[in-house]
Amino acid sequence: MTVSDKAEGGRPELIKAVPVRHPGRWVAAAAVAVLAAMLISNLLTSEAYNWSEQWKYFLSPPVLNGVRNTIWLTIAAMIGGIGLGVMLALMRLSSNPLLRGASWLYLWVFRGTPLYTQLLIWGNIGALFPKIGLGIPFGPEFVSFETNALYSAAAAAALGLILNEAAYMAEIVRAGVLAVDPGQQEAAHALGMTSMQTMRRVVLPQAMRVIVPPTGNEAISMLKNTSLVAAIPYLELTFTAQTIYANTYQIIPMLIMACLWYLILSSIMMTGQYYLERHYARGTVGSGGRMGLRARLAARGGGGGQ
Amino acid sequence: MNELMVQSERVCKNFGHVEVLKGIDLEVRNGEVMCIVGPSGSGKSTFLRCINHLEKVNAGRLWVDGHLVGYRQKGDKLYELREREVASKRRDIGMVFQRFNLFPHMTVLENVMEAPMLVKGEPKAEVRGRAEQLLERVGLRAKMNGYPGQLSGGQQQRVAIARALAMQPKLMLFDEPTSALDPELVGEVLDVMRDLARDGMTMIVVTHEMGFAREVGDSLVFMDDGVVVEKGSPREVLGNPQHERTKAFLSKVL
């Protein structure tokens, strides 16, 4: 049959076939519907939630103070963790074996021990280092301070979270740097850029595309991990909820209230993450990274995007 | 100004136990266009990369514009150059890669402007004017606000050439600049290179384009297995190869 033969008959009739049935979907939908109905009925009828008690405390000064502490701890821990993490990653990638070894040791210790235990140690650091001073090891000291005078629960909480987060951020940054095509560094060097210039202008901006999504996840994890600084102890959101229900015995309402606050905060962070990812996708999506969410999802789903 | 842009004396390079260059003697005059051909693995790309110190020479000496590459000589002792010094030597040498290596997170214009501003600290307005002229010259001024990912391979390679030229180099190195391109895009890149040669740029081109070598090249070098097997004018080497290995290679590619 030649092409002209086909054309003669005009456009063929549209196919009207019986679609494949998906009985599994109906079963799953029924199961989900039943579970959802059970949940809703529980939420509406159970006295244990005590919604009015939750609302009473939701915007109360102690809870707002806890929320504020949770927010600043998350921000401080992420900024400090990213800064220290980038440094550790560059040390790990350096050609200096001493720096590489030091970075490796740091990661080994801080990733190999639980955050909760680390926070307990930072809370009791005064017992380990009663005095902090500058001087020659085994020799004379120039200045020294009483640790407990310098140190507050807030500082201990932030320090503990930063030091732990840095270890994880270091690995994320290192993966991002290694993901950049080595040809990029060669091209930058061939143009006369030094290693520092290459890192700052060429490698890190491209590594960001790989670094940002897991960092957003880290930030959201951090929001929740701040609840562990109750170990110090420091009055963040969860610990505040605990102190309230220690008096009122309204355990579940206070914990649910804390969860609602965490959900609000993490939703805000997820929105921020979306815009940040879009910014660092510049040059990789068809229209220079200025596509909307829907267009991006369509491009991804259709396999048309790069 | 030096008569010789590149002077190579018994340059050797090995990666571990593999000897890639086994004593390369070559001279490139100012304004000369030298094409280097040869089978893959013959060391021609490695030699090119040695010229701007992307690879360290293990033995022999290599001079660019009268300066020893990668080292400083005091008496009969060699001192390795610091990274900053190596970087400043590379400013005068442009390099174009097989896989373009444009910076994907910058627009076409930013790609061209980046190095003169960052490395030489030239004022933005001046660099911008020159960048636009260069993009005009390679026929891509209309695309200057696009990103490299939106361009065809041939267009990307032309931007890469403009980016290298923005540093106003004395010497341009081309490492198989058309090997990653679809056949119909090769011509537009060769046109830009031809134009550059006509303007008197000193160029060393590693290539498989024999037509370009014959037409544009002042000299042709055939390398195989880490040595220069034959060199001469393109007409002589391509038309009347003296060496068996050259004949065997040319019979396959011509």
Side-chain angles (χ1 to χ4, degrees), chain A:
Chain A
M1 197 167 70
T2 65
V3 176
S4 60
D5 282 344
K6 259 192 224 163
E8 260 174 11
R11 201 154 172 249
E13 200 186 334
L14 287 176
I15 293 171
K16 288 193 202 96
V18 180
V20 176
R21 305 287 177 208
H22 298 284
R25 287 185 192 174
W26 289 102
V27 175
V32 169
V34 169
L35 286 171
M38 285 163 69
L39 178 67
I40 290 169
S41 124
N42 178 261
L43 283 173
L44 292 179
T45 57
S46 171
E47 292 291 313
Y49 292 108
N50 199 347
W51 296 105
S52 62
E53 172 83 2
Q54 287 191 38
W55 182 240
K56 200 169 93 193
Y57 283 101
F58 196 74
L59 294 171
S60 68
V63 170
L64 286 183
N65 179 58
V67 168
R68 203 172 53 234
N69 285 344
T70 291
I71 292 175
W72 86 254
L73 261 183
T74 306
I75 294 173
M78 284 315 292
I79 290 176
I82 289 169
L84 190 56
V86 168
M87 216 178 80
L88 284 166
L90 295 183
M91 280 167 69
R92 191 85 196 274
L93 294 165
S94 122
S95 52
N96 182 338
L98 200 70
L99 292 181
R100 268 205 315 269
S103 175
W104 180 86
L105 190 72
Y106 183 98
L107 262 64
W108 181 65
V109 170
F110 281 89
R111 291 204 307 166
T113 54
L115 175 55
Y116 187 73
T117 317
Q118 288 173 26
L119 288 168
L120 283 172
I121 292 175
W122 293 116
N124 296 291
I125 198 69
L128 180 59
F129 302 112
K131 282 183 173 181
I132 300 176
L134 262 182
I136 301 165
F138 306 109
E141 255 184 10
F142 305 127
V143 276
S144 84
F145 304 96
E146 290 289 331
T147 305
N148 286 333
L150 279 181
Y151 204 61
S152 65
L159 187 70
L161 292 175
I162 287 173
L163 293 180
N164 182 262
E165 184 57 28
Y168 289 90
M169 281 310 303
E171 286 298 273
I172 291 175
V173 172
R174 190 170 72 104
V177 168
L178 291 178
V180 176
D181 178 6
Q184 291 288 312
Q185 294 194 35
E186 278 188 359
H189 286 154
L191 284 165
M193 294 188 201
T194 61
S195 291
M196 280 299 282
Q197 288 171 329
T198 303
M199 191 51 79
R200 190 165 55 83
R201 297 291 302 176
V202 176
V203 176
L204 279 181
Q206 291 184 61
M208 286 307 267
R209 209 163 55 81
V210 179
I211 293 172
V212 166
T215 303
N217 293 338
E218 285 293 308
I220 291 168
S221 296
M222 179 55 72
L223 174 72
K224 295 167 293 173
N225 284 343
T226 53
S227 62
L228 295 176
V229 303
I232 298 259
Y234 182 66
L235 264 177
E236 46 63 61
L237 182 53
T238 300
F239 194 44
T240 305
Q242 282 178 309
T243 54
I244 294 173
Y245 71 61
N247 289 320
T248 63
Y249 303 108
Q250 295 286 333
I251 299 175
I252 291 294
M254 285 304 103
L255 291 178
I256 298 278
M257 181 203 67
C259 284
L260 289 176
W261 264 116
Y262 284 119
L263 276 173
I264 291 170
L265 296 176
S266 57
S267 304
I268 295 170
M269 289 169 77
M270 285 160 86
T271 314
Q273 185 184 6
Y274 162 70
Y275 284 102
L276 211 60
E277 279 180 34
R278 194 172 72 163
H279 174 75
Y280 283 109
R282 265 175 316 168
T284 53
V285 189
S287 66
R290 280 187 205 90
M291 288 165 110
L293 176 62
R294 207 171 295 177
R296 258 181 91 186
L297 287 176
R300 210 179 269 178
Q306 280 194 354

Side-chain angles (χ1 to χ4, degrees), chain B residues 179-197:
Chain B
S179 298
L181 297 177
D182 290 341
E184 79 270 23
L185 303 177
V186 168
E188 60 186 64
V189 172
L190 293 182
D191 282 344
V192 169
M193 291 167 63
R194 198 174 285 130
D195 177 53
L196 205 56

